[in-house]
Amino acid sequence: DDRMISSSIPDRPSQFAINKIKAYEYIDLLEGGLNGERLALKSTTTASPSKNVILDEALPWHVFTESRYGYLKYIGVTRWPEKLYKDMAAFFVRIETHPIHETPAGKRALLEYQARARRDWHDTFRRDGETFNISAINEELISSSRATNRPETWNP
C-alpha cells in the first residue's frame, strides 16, 4: 500500500477522559494548565486525572467556550445516543448565549450553573439510566447561583 500518513494527526484525549465519557461520568472540561493550548480533553499518557485540572466553575469564559468543542467532539466519538449528544450541544449553546452573561458576574454564574447542571445530569443518568433534558435552562437555579448573589467574589 502506498498510502502516506496524514499531514495532520489530531490529539487524542487521555484514556482517563475517554473512560469517563464512555461511562457517562462527569469530567471537567479542562485538563491541564491555562496556557491556551492544553484545552479540553487534550492528550496525556496517563489513565488517571491530572492534578492540575481547573474546575469548570473556575475557568475563564473564553477557555470554557473553547473547551466545550473538545468535549462535544469526544462524546460524539464515543457514540453517545444522538438525543443525548444533541441535548448536550444545545445546552452549551444556551449557556453561551444566555442574556445574563452580559451582567456583572453573569459569566461566572453561568460557569457555576453549567458545572452543577452537568454534574447532576451525569449523576442522574448513572443512577437512574435516564435523565432530564439538560438543554432546558433552569432560570431559578441560575438566579440562586453564588456568583449571581455575590458578584464581588468574581474577578473577571
Side-chain angles (χ1 to χ4, degrees):
D1 189 5
D2 291 334
R3 243 175 34 167
M4 184 186 299
I5 189 168
S6 172
S7 297
S8 172
I9 301 173
D11 289 329
R12 290 194 67 224
S14 67
Q15 192 59 49
F16 170 78
I18 290 173
N19 291 343
K20 289 196 72 112
I21 290 170
K22 281 183 177 177
Y24 300 96
E25 292 180 22
Y26 178 84
I27 185 167
D28 284 296
L29 295 174
L30 189 70
E31 191 173 318
L34 277 179
N35 64 5
E37 294 188 17
R38 280 187 54 86
L39 294 177
L41 311 175
K42 277 288 197 172
S43 293
T44 65
T45 56
T46 182
S48 61
S50 168
K51 294 178 180 119
N52 300 319
V53 169
I54 297 170
L55 300 177
D56 283 357
E57 45 271 65
L59 291 175
W61 185 256
H62 75 281
V63 174
F64 161 73
T65 59
E66 292 175 26
S67 299
R68 63 105 169 169
Y69 290 110
Y71 178 74
L72 289 173
K73 175 182 177 181
Y74 284 102
I75 67 173
V77 167
T78 58
R79 295 191 172 96
W80 275 25
E82 185 177 359
K83 179 176 180 356
L84 298 181
Y85 176 86
K86 285 182 176 181
D87 287 349
M88 193 63 72
F91 169 72
F92 283 114
V93 168
R94 289 182 177 145
I95 291 295
E96 289 180 42
T97 60
H98 194 282
I100 197 175
H101 92 278
E102 297 292 335
T103 66
K107 289 180 174 116
R108 182 61 48 205
L110 290 168
L111 289 168
E112 182 182 307
Y113 172 84
Q114 71 79 28
R116 292 174 65 197
R118 282 194 317 110
R119 280 188 193 103
D120 190 46
W121 185 93
H122 285 280
D123 291 347
T124 302
F125 189 84
R126 289 185 47 81
R127 182 186 62 242
D128 302 340
E130 59 184 23
T131 195
F132 54 89
N133 180 353
I134 194 165
S135 70
I137 303 297
N138 184 323
E139 299 297 333
E140 186 177 337
L141 190 56
I142 290 175
S143 295
S144 70
S145 148
R146 288 181 296 258
T148 302
N149 294 308
R150 294 185 50 215
E152 71 281 359
T153 63
W154 184 55
N155 182 10

